[in-house]
Amino acid sequence: MSNEPISLAKALASFDALWSPRIVTRVNDYDVRIAKVAGEHVWHVHDDTDEFFLVLDGELHIALREPAGERTVLLPQGAVFTVPRGVEHKPHAPSGAAILMFEPTGTPSVGDRHDDLPDHVDATTGHPLAT
Amino acid sequence: MSNEPISLAKALASFDALWSPRIVTRVNDYDVRIAKVAGEHVWHVHDDTDEFFLVLDGELHIALREPAGERTVLLPQGAVFTVPRGVEHKPHAPSGAAILMFEPTGTPSVGDRHDDLPDHVDATTGHPLAT
């Protein structure tokens, strides 16, 4: 990992793939990941970890299946939200977005359980940032 | 903790205190904290945890005492940097900045060891965000 500051704008400019998170830095045994997203991700759940989202650009919707029913939260640029562990969720971004995530190293991007994976969704624990 | 998205701009507008982090959300046993900063913090060290910084606005300098000597990294808006555990550091922001931090819940803002605390530096494990 770099021991120099990293510009998120430059990091985002270094790749084009959608729904394919890049690890920009580590904090103890957690990753800070960024991703470009557009369209629909997939319903999935992380049984053992919360998942933090910060919207760097654009607008992110996160559909949530909670005990009380299904709802969708909307995160404009500069908004943050934590999806609690065990809550099935599906991020989507009709107009595209750039996001930052904070989650334990090794957390699969499609959760521990998920719907059938569409071709455009990368199942990964995060890729290294190209340098 | 809120189960609605939080606007970082609104959260930052809800307090004025400098070097006095607010907890905006939690991710497992980690806090996501934001702070307004200006001028000098204090030399301190976290013996057991890395500390992540993202500059939301303005420009943050972090002086570091590394085995090879002392250096200062500069984080413009949109830059990220992780200070490794055990590295003595002193954030400063001559022109002011707004920052976001990830660190384990309970981490003191002035580390486990620090220089004499100036009056303008709040020694805290993070304050709740006023709602």
Side-chain angles (χ1 to χ4, degrees):
Chain A
M1 287 285 146
S2 169
N3 65 349
E4 295 295 333
I6 294 170
S7 154
L8 293 180
K10 281 188 195 166
L12 285 166
S14 73
F15 65 97
D16 291 317
L18 298 175
W19 303 113
S20 183
R22 263 61 183 170
I23 299 168
V24 289
T25 185
R26 291 213 163 100
V27 187
N28 301 326
D29 51 354
Y30 278 66
D31 292 344
V32 178
R33 302 180 188 174
I34 55 172
K36 290 175 168 170
V37 303
E40 307 249 322
H41 199 245
V42 65
W43 281 106
H44 68 281
V45 62
H46 303 281
D47 289 323
D48 301 317
T49 181
D50 304 339
E51 190 171 34
F52 170 84
F53 293 88
L54 161 62
V55 175
L56 300 170
D57 194 30
E59 204 170 71
L60 181 71
H61 307 247
I62 307 177
L64 303 163
R65 288 181 178 149
E66 295 173 327
E70 192 168 313
R71 68 174 175 131
T72 295
V73 291
L74 171 61
L75 285 71
Q77 184 175 349
V80 302
F81 186 74
T82 302
V83 176
R85 65 184 69 194
V87 172
E88 209 178 351
H89 58 285
K90 182 175 76 169
H92 51 111
S95 306
I99 62 178
L100 180 147
M101 286 159 291
F102 183 62
E103 54 199 326
T105 298
T107 301
S109 61
V110 297
D112 302 305
R113 291 175 285 120
H114 55 76
D115 280 359
D116 286 347
L117 286 190
D119 286 343
H120 70 274
V121 169
D122 184 17
T124 177
T125 53
H127 300 279
L129 199 61
T131 50
Chain B
M1 288 285 147
S2 167
N3 65 349
E4 295 294 334
I6 294 171
S7 155
L8 292 181
K10 281 187 195 166
L12 286 166
S14 72
F15 65 97
D16 290 318
L18 297 174
W19 302 113
S20 184
R22 264 59 183 170
I23 300 168
V24 289
T25 184
R26 290 213 164 100
V27 187
N28 301 326
D29 51 355
Y30 278 67
D31 292 345
V32 180
R33 302 181 188 173
I34 55 172
K36 290 175 169 171
V37 303
E40 306 248 326
H41 199 245
V42 66
W43 281 106
H44 68 281
V45 62
H46 303 281
D47 289 323
D48 301 317
T49 182
D50 303 339
E51 191 172 34
F52 170 85
F53 294 88
L54 161 63
V55 175
L56 300 170
D57 194 30
E59 204 170 71
L60 181 71
H61 306 247
I62 307 176
L64 302 163
R65 287 182 179 150
E66 295 173 325
E70 194 169 312
R71 67 174 176 133
T72 296
V73 291
L74 171 61
L75 285 70
Q77 183 175 351
V80 303
F81 186 74
T82 302
V83 176
R85 67 183 67 192
V87 172
E88 209 178 350
H89 59 285
K90 182 176 74 167
H92 52 112
S95 307
I99 62 177
L100 178 145
M101 287 159 291
F102 293 133
E103 50 201 328
T105 298
T107 301
S109 61
V110 297
D112 303 305
R113 291 174 283 121
H114 55 76
D115 279 359
D116 286 346
L117 286 190
D119 286 343
H120 70 276
V121 169
D122 184 17
T124 177
T125 53
H127 300 278
L129 199 59
T131 50

